[in-house]
DNA sequence: GAAAGGCGTCT
DNA sequence: AGACGCC
């Protein structure tokens, strides 16, 4: 039982409670606890054994009880009960970029959309844009996101990610005065695989650095582009052959918040 | 259920 | 401006 598995489970409970319109505080509590478990250096299984779960900030008696159940039995009744309240397919919608609990609730309750195919159909026939919070742009983005989701964004081998980071570094350094550049997140934690890459940068020309990043030749899609923070989808050559897709985020930091940023994003 | 928040996008 | 999604 890994910390990540426990964290995913807690996040899922939070999302399900959110979709069901349950108390905001409980929703936030589960996500907060999940984040705390993600960031743990100790193994959650060891903490259960030593009765130290309560030491985790964000984990109180109720959540500690649930973590214990999952770690000791491999199952979590509360999670299963919640899951049983959803038609199959509804929770898959959360996997589409741009769809969160609020939008799942609306799609499900107001349009009866319970799976990916239904969402795609509705977007194609412009049935979404009449719903509160949705518009023309959202429909277009969703169609693209569904396509990307279906292409399957598997986790990248750390070696492949390292090649990609090197290429991005060379590209940025050739186009902007980069003073520091480092990949944070799971990459810096030296996992075997990464689900995305977070790159932190300090530079004397923020605009040029950001422009260079989103103009990196292998960028297939720009999810967002701000002054100091951007997110893109990049194509890379897998070591095992073939082209793959990976999300890469760039954050530009002040020189004096470099250490804190590295800490925070790792 | 137990003590977070900032940035970017869309309506 | 407010809601939402995401890190």
């Amino acid at each position: 039982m890994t910390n990540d598995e426990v964290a995913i489970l807690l996040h899922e409970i939070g999302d399900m409670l959110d979709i069901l319109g349950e108390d905001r505080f409980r929703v936030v509590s589960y996500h907060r606890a999940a984040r705390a478990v993600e960031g743990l250096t100790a193994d959650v299984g060891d903490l259960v054994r030593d009765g130290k779960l309560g030491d985790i900030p964000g984990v109180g008696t109720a959540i500690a009880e649930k973590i214990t159940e999952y770690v000791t039995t491999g199952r979590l009744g509360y999670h299963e009960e919640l899951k049983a309240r959803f038609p199959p397919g509804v929770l898959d919608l959360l996997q589409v970029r741009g769809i969160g609990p609020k939008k799942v609730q609306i799609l499900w309750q107001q349009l009866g959309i319970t799976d990916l195919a239904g969402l795609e159909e509705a977007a194609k026939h412009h049935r979404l844009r009449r719903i509160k919070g949705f518009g023309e742009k959202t429909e277009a983005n969703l169609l693209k996101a569904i396509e990307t989701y279906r292409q399957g964004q598997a986790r990248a081998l750390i070696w492949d990610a390292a090649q990609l980071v090197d290429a991005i570094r060379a590209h940025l350094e050739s186009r902007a005065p980069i003073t520091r550049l480092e990949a944070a997140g799971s990459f810096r934690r030296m996992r075997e695989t990464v689900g995305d890459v977070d790159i932190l940068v300090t530079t004397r020309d923020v605009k040029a650095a950001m422009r260079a990043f989103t103009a990196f030749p292998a960028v297939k899609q720009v999810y967002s582009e701000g002054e100091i923070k951007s997110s893109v989808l990049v194509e890379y050559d897998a070591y095992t052959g073939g082209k793959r897709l990976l999300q890469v985020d760039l954050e530009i930091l002040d020189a004096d918040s470099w250490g804190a940023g590295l800490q925070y994003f790792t």
Side-chain angles (χ1 to χ4, degrees), chain A residues 134-232:
Chain A
F134 291 78
E136 210 170 318
K137 196 118 184 179
T138 310
E139 266 178 353
N141 288 346
L142 246 30
L143 284 173
K144 219 185 274 185
I146 290 170
E147 194 185 328
T148 303
Y149 172 72
R150 290 211 171 110
Q151 280 184 260
Q153 217 169 305
R155 296 175 67 83
L157 293 174
I158 190 89
W159 192 87
D160 286 338
Q163 307 301 304
L164 181 56
V165 169
D166 284 344
I168 292 173
R169 178 196 303 277
H171 177 80
L172 293 188
E173 287 178 343
S174 72
R175 285 167 178 73
I178 305 295
T179 43
R180 311 187 79 158
L181 184 154
E182 192 156 345
S186 51
F187 184 91
R188 191 155 179 269
R189 292 199 299 275
M190 292 298 283
R191 300 295 189 83
E192 295 129 29
T193 64
V194 297
D196 56 52
V197 175
D198 308 308
I199 297 177
L200 303 183
V201 156
T202 56
T203 176
R204 291 194 309 281
D205 190 342
V206 174
K207 280 188 169 44
M210 194 52 85
R211 240 188 347 253
F213 176 65
T214 54
F216 182 63
V219 167
K220 289 296 157 197
Q221 197 182 330
V222 178
Y223 288 133
S224 67
E225 179 174 11
E227 299 264 303
I228 59 167
K229 201 165 86 172
S230 292
S231 183
V232 301

